[in-house]
Amino acid sequence: MTVPASAYLLLSAALFTLGTVGVLVRRTALILFMSIELMLNAVNLAFVTLARVHANLDGQLAVFFVLVVAAVEVVVGLSILVHIFRSRDTVDVDEVDLLRG
Amino acid sequence: MSLDLRPLFPELAVVAASLVALVGDVFVRGPRARMAWPVAGVVAVSVAGVLVWRAGDAAFGSLYARDALGNALQAVALAVAAVGLLLARDYLVRTGLDRGEYYALVLLSTVGAMLMVASQDLLFLFVALETLSLPLYVLAGFARDSHRSQEASLKYFLLGSFASALLLYGVALVYGVAGSTALSRLAEADASFPLLVGLGLVVVGLGFKAAVVPFHAWAPDVYEGAPVPAVAFMSVVAKVGAVGALLRILPATVPHLLSAWQPLLAALSAATMLVGNLAALRQTNLKRMLAYSSVAHAGYLLIGVAAGSDAGVWSAVYYLAVYGAMKLGAFGVLTFLERAGVEADEVEDLRGLADRSPAAAAAFAVFMASLTGLPPTAGFVGKFYLFTAALEAGLLWLALVAVATSVVSVAYYLRAAYTAYLGPARAGVRVLRAPWAGVGLGLSAGATLLFGVLPGPLTSWAQRVAALLR
């Protein structure tokens, strides 16, 4: 039995939605960050599936770019987080609130 | 396939300068020797600016292509970088942040904007967008020991990455429909629900970067917390990249879907102008006021995108150039003010500026007049072109909203300019001598006045962009 492409796309959409909801409702910077990574990986799944549907490699190629960019984001993001944690002992975005608009 | 790097010489020149600043900083000691980095940066962007007009082909397969629109916006990005570097130098030395990284990050971010406006592929656009954004997140937190700067960096990073992920999902949907991420394939695609959702997500992602309502919430906080010269640079370069990409994707690539995206863009534009200008009215902090002004100007720029016509495109290019000059200048004046070692960034802190530094006060008045859109400044000409483009595109209501919000904006811009001419100065606020920033300020003020009094050359230059677009 083969799993149809639509199932993968639905899974991708579900993961992406989970990530989006995570960003909107969670309050710890680290978890927000993980949710964003979940969104990026949902995109990767969509790209791979669609590459198979279209029978070309563009989508698989895209995944490599996304992986690299995600890694770079981790480097920059974690260094910002570690720096804030060192000077304040918290990364809760409700407590990091000197700027309120 | 041979790899011809000639079209990329401008970008490579800027990258080389950033690497020199990054690596050289380890070896060079002493503030005098460190003058090398801003000088190298300004020289590199000038060289790149010359090269932009010589190179003329595609690179990286068909991912990247030089054309009139890309060249024009690259020139704007390079000019912004040059003035941004000049404005930063004195401030960085004063606050002990004078390190090679700052110049390197500014230059790398500029490269991101340059690649973004020349990209011919949505995936390439995404990578370029990240090249633009990641250095900006670090620049926002460049005052490492300031809690406000750290917080600005965190907020910008989290919301910026979130926006990038949304954009990327949009790219995946477009790929699903068109079978390719190339803009040339997108141009042939028929309207379908997934394609429109995909394009919508791409617009949302770019709208975040340009601080378009309702994706603008980060802007005031980030602008307030980040160091002034970094804010001056990022408020302009991010808009050059994002609005440039919107122009390239919507009016230049999918004009056949105009009926689908024009109402959305026009609504975003109107909402952005309204929220930005009304929120700016209530601000007492000058950086926050300028942040909301920056939001409002994203709305004016979107008029050019929403119009969907050639006139809309070149008006937006013209306004981006003008916006760069006046916004860099407005933030640039702030680098002259200081209270007890930290930034003096309240509107009231401007009091007495005219007595202590008449030139800075006069320049500030010019920038405020231009941001409002009063003649004889460039802001007036730019807004006139944009509003005309809206009328020609049949968007009368949008033009009316734009005019009405411009009238509202008189209140807060001129209040700030007027404050600079009121004495006496507030206790504790010092006006510093800053020769480098003075040069940057002079250039911005000169451009703002010149393009207002003699708009002809810049106009015909911008109009060539639209003529060569198709």
Side-chain angles (χ1 to χ4, degrees):
Chain A
M1 189 191 103
T2 49
V3 181
S6 57
Y8 289 104
L9 291 177
L10 279 175
L11 175 64
S12 158
L15 286 175
F16 191 82
T17 312
L18 267 179
T20 311
V21 172
V23 172
L24 297 179
V25 304
R26 297 305 292 262
R27 298 272 54 113
T28 311
L30 212 54
I31 304 221
L32 290 183
F33 195 27
M34 282 166 58
S35 302
I36 291 166
E37 293 297 310
L38 188 62
M39 291 167 77
L40 290 178
N41 282 314
V43 172
N44 279 343
L45 182 60
F47 267 123
V48 173
T49 311
L50 291 167
R52 187 153 177 106
V53 171
H54 288 298
N56 67 23
L57 287 176
D58 288 14
Q60 305 223 12
L61 194 74
V63 172
F64 282 101
F65 282 98
V66 178
L67 284 178
V68 171
V69 169
V72 175
E73 271 187 1
V74 169
V75 172
V76 173
L78 280 186
S79 52
I80 293 172
L81 280 178
V82 167
H83 191 68
I84 290 186
F85 187 74
R86 271 194 192 151
S87 65
R88 299 201 205 180
D89 282 327
T90 178
V91 286
D92 191 314
V93 287
D94 284 338
E95 288 173 40
V96 184
D97 62 352
L98 290 174
L99 307 167
R100 260 292 148 83
Chain B
M1 191 180 82
S2 67
L3 185 60
D4 184 4
L5 286 178
R6 263 173 303 173
L8 288 167
F9 277 174
E11 283 88 346
L12 291 176
V14 181
V15 170
S18 76
L19 293 181
V20 167
L22 206 54
V23 177
D25 199 58
V26 178
F27 302 103
V28 174
R29 288 278 164 268
R32 202 166 271 281
R34 284 200 174 138
M35 273 165 53
W37 312 139
V39 170
V42 171
V43 169
V45 294
S46 315
V47 170
V50 175
L51 288 171
V52 161
W53 301 107
R54 296 186 48 83
D57 245 319
F60 299 137
S62 55
L63 294 179
Y64 174 100
R66 268 186 189 290
D67 57 12
L69 179 62
N71 279 354
L73 290 173
Q74 286 195 345
V76 173
L78 288 166
V80 167
V83 176
L85 290 171
L86 289 172
L87 288 177
R89 156 83 191 174
D90 295 313
Y91 179 94
L92 294 177
V93 172
R94 190 172 82 228
T95 49
L97 297 171
D98 182 32
R99 289 190 296 268
E101 293 103 283
Y102 185 90
Y103 305 103
L105 289 167
V106 165
L107 293 171
L108 286 175
S109 185
T110 309
V111 171
M114 291 172 74
L115 293 174
M116 210 172 154
V117 297
S119 59
Q120 296 291 330
D121 188 289
L122 288 172
L123 190 61
F124 189 84
L125 180 87
F126 167 70
V127 177
L129 176 73
E130 291 294 301
T131 314
L132 165 76
S133 306
L134 287 164
L136 292 184
Y137 304 149
V138 183
L139 282 176
F142 205 77
R144 289 175 33 171
D145 298 327
S146 148
H147 280 195
R148 297 204 312 172
S149 181
Q150 291 171 356
E151 190 176 321
S153 176
L154 180 68
K155 277 195 176 152
Y156 198 14
F157 170 75
L158 287 174
L159 286 170
S161 316
F162 179 60
S164 299
L166 291 175
L167 178 130
L168 203 57
Y169 200 72
V171 175
L173 287 175
V174 171
Y175 170 64
V177 175
S180 164
T181 49
L183 290 183
S184 55
R185 290 283 290 277
L186 176 59
E188 296 157 8
D190 294 323
S192 64
F193 181 67
L195 182 77
L196 294 177
V197 173
L199 280 177
L201 283 171
V202 171
V203 170
V204 169
L206 293 171
F208 251 108
K209 298 292 167 189
V212 169
V213 173
F215 322 113
H216 68 293
W218 58 271
D221 286 355
V222 172
Y223 284 20
E224 188 187 345
V228 181
V231 177
F233 175 71
M234 75 171 69
S235 68
V236 180
V237 81
K239 279 208 182 36
V240 173
V243 175
L246 281 174
L247 288 173
R248 184 170 286 291
I249 294 171
L250 295 176
T253 304
V254 289
H256 57 292
L257 305 178
L258 182 74
S259 58
W261 54 260
Q262 190 176 48
L264 172 73
L265 265 289
L268 284 177
S269 168
T272 308
M273 291 185 287
L274 284 169
V275 172
N277 281 309
L278 293 178
L281 277 177
R282 292 184 291 115
Q283 305 303 322
T284 54
N285 180 298
L286 195 53
K287 277 166 103 183
R288 284 188 90 83
M289 189 200 98
L290 287 173
Y292 279 112
S293 137
S294 173
V295 171
H297 278 83
Y300 295 121
L301 286 163
L302 278 193
I303 295 177
V305 182
S309 57
D310 286 2
V313 173
W314 70 254
S315 307
V317 171
Y318 184 97
Y319 203 65
L320 272 174
V322 171
Y323 172 80
M326 58 200 189
K327 203 70 187 198
L328 279 169
F331 278 115
V333 173
L334 272 175
T335 64
F336 284 81
L337 300 176
E338 184 194 70
R339 188 201 295 112
V342 295
E343 293 167 3
D345 55 4
E346 298 291 318
V347 175
E348 289 297 312
D349 291 340
L350 286 168
R351 272 177 187 281
L353 184 63
D355 292 335
R356 300 201 276 181
S357 176
F364 190 72
V366 168
F367 299 132
M368 290 299 117
S370 184
L371 286 165
T372 318
L374 297 177
T377 57
F380 168 73
V381 183
K383 274 189 179 162
F384 175 75
Y385 288 151
L386 282 170
F387 299 174
T388 313
L391 285 178
E392 283 169 1
L395 296 167
L396 173 66
W397 66 273
L398 188 60
L400 288 177
V401 171
V403 171
T405 53
S406 294
V407 172
V408 169
S409 74
V410 172
Y412 63 89
Y413 288 129
L414 293 195
R415 189 187 64 198
Y418 182 59
T419 310
Y421 280 89
L422 287 178
R426 243 185 172 186
V429 178
R430 295 203 304 143
V431 179
L432 303 144
R433 294 184 61 80
W436 291 70
V439 174
L441 214 56
L443 286 173
S444 327
T448 309
L449 281 175
L450 183 70
F451 298 145
V453 179
L454 285 173
L458 187 66
T459 308
S460 57
W461 174 78
Q463 279 171 334
R464 270 213 309 275
V465 170
L468 295 172
L469 205 56
R470 306 217 170 87

